[in-house]
Amino acid sequence: MSNQPYFYCHPFDKFKFLVEFRKQFTSDPHYTSSCLKDLEQIIEFIGRDTQINDLRWAAYLLATVLVETTSPKTEIHQVHGKILKSKAWVITMKPVTEFGRGAGRNYFLPVKVEKLSTGNVLVTEFDGDQFEIDSLSGKAVAKTPKATLGAVCNIKPNSSYVNNKGTENRYYGRGYTQLTWWSNYARASVALGMGLQLLLKPDLVLKPEIAYRLMSHGMRTGEGFANGHRFSDYFHGDITDYVNARRMVNGLNRAHEIAEIAKKFEKILIDSKVDLKCPEPA
């Protein structure tokens, strides 16, 4: 008999999951039924992800998505014949863009990217600094003296940037967990076996399947946004630490709130298990 009670290897009963989710979350002031379709898609991703075989990992993934994708939505009301607009924060469970799109941060300004004949990519930043990105590793090599990553957001474009023929892109946060900085887009893209596609076309991160793969990979390996922290640091054997698991995404910001949400998802996942025999974990 397995000594890992959280081990699981099958897709979940989506109908049961959604029923239990509504029971747990309809009282949340940010809840709207429009999130259910996107939530169902994430459950499908988790069910197919052979690397996620611990219910606590799945619970923390879901809790992170719920919090990170709760975002402002414009609502239109008609009052006494007048059209009024208001913004409300709602649970979306879909990939979102960073609120403010990185305003005030050193990754806010656009950069230009140009695919080279070698398959590598040349990145030219707003201040003129240039880097060549290796297509196999995603690593950047400076091409201009004393080049530094990022640029102060209130500068004027350098002439090298203006005259560069590359495609202009911005690398603010996108996804279920916010992927930022062009260098992270490059490394994450290679890690997913996508070459430098995410560097060349950053909006691909808004595709649910790619956003999920990025989140799962980061939390399992500690790479990219996870800054060296990984699931196995917080969930193994009898150890369950939903609070400190927040270090994988954003320090301890809202850690206790997300931990309580993860506990709810853990219960929902247990109640939604399909009763089939799994092979014993290694």
Side-chain angles (χ1 to χ4, degrees):
M1 184 175 182
S2 173
N3 62 359
Q4 298 187 38
Y6 292 103
F7 175 73
Y8 189 63
C9 67
H10 298 296
F12 299 92
D13 185 319
K14 289 186 290 184
F15 178 78
K16 285 184 179 179
F17 184 95
L18 294 176
V19 167
E20 294 303 316
F21 176 80
R22 287 192 291 266
K23 287 180 182 178
Q24 292 282 350
F25 289 98
T26 50
S27 60
D28 188 310
H30 305 305
Y31 172 84
T32 67
S33 61
S34 62
C35 74
L36 296 177
K37 183 178 179 180
D38 297 286
L39 172 60
E40 184 176 353
Q41 188 173 45
I42 299 171
I43 292 302
E44 291 178 358
F45 292 152
I46 293 174
R48 296 199 301 261
D49 189 344
T50 58
Q51 302 298 313
I52 301 295
N53 51 26
D54 188 308
L55 291 174
R56 297 166 296 185
W57 294 16
Y60 203 79
L61 279 171
L62 288 162
T64 298
V65 172
L66 187 145
V67 170
E68 294 293 326
T69 70
T70 296
S71 58
K73 178 181 178 181
T74 300
E75 297 182 336
I76 299 176
H77 313 273
Q78 187 169 351
V79 181
H80 302 305
K82 293 183 178 180
I83 302 298
L84 301 177
K85 293 183 180 180
S86 63
K87 280 190 176 180
W89 287 76
V90 298
I91 297 169
T92 71
M93 302 303 289
K94 65 175 60 178
V96 296
T97 57
E98 179 182 2
F99 187 65
R101 302 199 171 196
R105 299 182 181 273
N106 285 8
Y107 58 76
F108 172 69
L109 293 173
V111 305
K112 289 185 176 179
V113 294
E114 179 184 0
K115 191 170 182 179
L116 305 175
S117 59
T118 60
N120 292 351
V121 171
L122 181 69
V123 170
T124 304
E125 295 195 320
F126 210 71
D127 58 7
D129 285 348
Q130 289 188 315
F131 302 82
E132 185 170 336
I133 317 306
D134 181 73
S135 62
L136 298 179
S137 68
K139 293 181 179 179
V141 176
K143 303 296 289 184
T144 50
K146 298 182 180 179
T148 57
L149 187 66
V152 179
C153 61
N154 60 356
I155 64 171
K156 293 182 179 180
N158 182 280
S159 59
S160 297
Y161 180 86
V162 173
N163 297 325
N164 186 274
K165 296 180 180 179
T167 300
E168 189 172 75
N169 287 332
R170 292 177 181 267
Y171 297 91
Y172 47 77
R174 295 174 176 86
Y176 291 126
T177 49
Q178 301 293 279
L179 184 66
T180 58
W181 295 93
W182 61 260
S183 56
N184 288 334
Y185 277 75
R187 287 194 294 268
S189 189
V190 169
L192 294 190
M194 298 179 66
L196 294 175
Q197 289 185 58
L198 301 184
L199 176 65
L200 295 167
K201 298 180 179 179
D203 278 342
L204 287 174
V205 177
L206 293 173
K207 289 183 174 292
E209 186 167 3
I210 292 175
Y212 174 80
R213 290 175 62 200
L214 282 167
M215 177 174 62
S216 173
H217 176 81
M219 289 184 167
R220 287 186 290 101
T221 65
E223 295 178 8
F225 68 85
N227 296 312
H229 302 282
R230 66 196 74 194
F231 278 135
S232 58
D233 296 334
Y234 308 105
F235 310 106
H236 54 89
D238 295 330
I239 303 299
T240 300
D241 189 353
Y242 282 127
V243 173
N244 282 295
R246 181 60 173 164
R247 297 181 189 277
M248 291 185 289
V249 180
N250 195 6
L252 291 178
N253 175 259
R254 303 176 71 181
H256 289 276
E257 174 190 355
I258 298 170
E260 292 305 311
I261 294 170
K263 291 174 186 176
K264 290 182 179 181
F265 273 120
E266 179 188 308
K267 182 180 184 305
I268 294 170
L269 289 166
I270 289 172
D271 291 343
S272 305
K273 289 172 66 173
V274 176
D275 190 18
L276 295 172
K277 182 175 177 57
C278 292
E280 291 292 307

